[in-house]
Amino acid sequence: MVGSLSDYAMVPALGWSPSSQRPYGGLPVTLRVRQVEQPRGGFLPLAVFDRFDLSDPVALRPRENRSPQAVGSAVDYMTRFVTSGRLLPAFSSCLEGARAAGGQAEAMRLLERVDGLSDGSIRAVCDLVVFDQAARAGRSFMPVSRVTADVDTCWNIRRMVQRSCRFLDAYGPAVWFGPSFDGGYTRLVSYGDGDLLTRDTLWDFKTSRRVPTRDNTLQLLCYWLLGLHSTHAVYRRVRRLGFYNPRLDVVWLLPVSDIPGDVVREVCVRVLGYEDRWRFLDV
């Protein structure tokens, strides 16, 4: 049963983290990794990950009329909603962004239209995620897109959500959507949150038509190290880093024990700015 709007007060207790930006003076992880000059192939080449093709026999349609970012966010948040059945926790980041951007009333009107995987519900989500994007970019209020998601875009988003649910059946269940790293941020990296934490794996979701890049693998490594430095003991149970791309329907996995110590040290000090704090990590 879909939660009522009064459930919003319960969000912090349900294992979701709103994507609040923490003004500690540094950058979000996504921007910090773009500044860093990596060695050839990257600190953590995708080639060291094991690849698993889930191979949905039903192909996606070739074109979409909403931005890749909007489609990716829609798949992410709708997966949270469909797997939990709870509306407000799943879209808490969008509502927080709407409040910050001055669009709360419009966001709530859109949220009332979200009821599952119908085309109308998906179109509302495609507009709703604009508020999350605006807040992450530090912008003031942005009106929702005037481009309505077409039938092919809705079909693809629906299929990718269904693939993501099947993925979670195999690799889940989800322990924490949108995991944060409170207490782990530094003067160089002041905010950012992950996509998904299962019992022993920290995951990044991608809906790109391409495989993860070296910036993506570094970002995931940074998330894990931020988690280990954070106040959340749950990160001590992480044994693998993983990517799942529902567009490609492919999983990539890497045991953290396979990450070289010198890479951990360099990323902790040079990328994240921990200086000597990395010495206390038991990895």
Side-chain angles (χ1 to χ4, degrees):
M1 180 177 178
V2 175
S4 68
L5 298 186
S6 62
D7 291 336
Y8 190 52
M10 301 174 61
V11 168
L14 294 173
W16 282 265
S17 289
S19 302
S20 57
Q21 297 186 358
R22 302 169 175 84
Y24 296 163
L27 296 170
V29 179
T30 52
L31 294 183
R32 175 58 184 152
V33 299
R34 297 176 195 170
Q35 292 183 332
V36 176
E37 183 178 351
Q38 297 193 50
R40 184 175 182 180
F43 284 112
L44 204 61
L46 188 64
V48 303
F49 287 71
D50 293 320
R51 174 173 171 150
F52 303 92
D53 291 86
L54 303 188
S55 303
D56 180 5
V58 180
L60 299 182
R61 298 179 182 178
R63 292 186 179 86
E64 296 159 1
N65 73 335
R66 294 300 298 262
S67 72
Q69 187 176 15
V71 170
S73 295
V75 171
D76 181 1
Y77 292 125
M78 290 208 77
T79 298
R80 301 182 190 197
F81 170 50
V82 171
T83 57
S84 69
R86 299 187 67 85
L87 182 65
L88 285 157
F91 291 96
S92 59
S93 295
C94 299
L95 293 178
E96 182 180 344
R99 283 197 295 268
Q104 188 174 12
E106 178 65 22
M108 295 303 287
R109 284 194 292 270
L110 291 168
L111 199 66
E112 294 283 4
R113 293 165 47 196
V114 179
D115 58 7
L117 290 175
S118 68
D119 283 5
S121 180
I122 291 171
R123 288 182 177 117
V125 171
C126 286
D127 287 341
L128 185 59
V129 298
V130 171
F131 294 108
D132 187 36
Q133 296 168 28
R136 288 174 183 270
R139 301 171 188 167
S140 58
F141 171 72
M142 287 178 56
V144 296
S145 172
R146 300 306 174 193
V147 177
T148 301
D150 63 15
V151 171
D152 286 350
T153 301
C154 292
W155 196 95
N156 281 359
I157 290 173
R158 180 165 44 250
R159 193 67 190 182
M160 283 190 277
V161 171
Q162 292 167 340
R163 289 177 177 182
S164 297
C165 291
R166 185 186 61 177
F167 154 79
L168 283 171
D169 286 341
Y171 289 91
V175 172
W176 190 0
F177 283 109
S180 62
F181 313 108
D182 308 280
Y185 300 104
T186 72
R187 61 182 177 81
L188 295 179
V189 175
S190 63
Y191 53 89
D193 47 34
D195 286 339
L196 173 67
L197 188 66
T198 55
R199 184 179 59 85
D200 66 353
T201 308
L202 180 61
W203 295 93
D204 197 14
F205 271 37
K206 300 294 182 188
T207 56
S208 171
R209 299 177 190 275
R210 300 180 179 179
V211 300
T213 67
R214 66 180 187 175
D215 281 356
N216 298 150
T217 61
L218 177 57
Q219 179 179 332
L220 183 56
L221 176 57
C222 286
Y223 284 158
W224 175 55
L225 295 173
L226 286 166
L228 289 176
H229 285 86
S230 77
T231 58
H232 302 294
V234 67
Y235 290 106
R236 292 286 175 175
R237 298 203 298 267
V238 171
R239 295 292 176 264
R240 300 183 299 180
L241 303 182
F243 291 97
Y244 174 59
N245 185 321
R247 185 181 297 279
L248 304 177
D249 207 22
V250 175
V251 167
W252 290 267
L253 280 171
L254 175 69
V256 296
S257 58
D258 289 353
I259 303 174
D262 60 335
V263 169
V264 170
R265 180 170 58 251
E266 187 166 5
V267 172
C268 279
V269 175
R270 187 160 72 85
V271 180
L272 297 175
Y274 283 123
E275 299 173 351
D276 288 339
R277 285 173 62 189
W278 65 271
R279 297 181 187 277
F280 301 99
L281 288 177
D282 180 18
V283 297

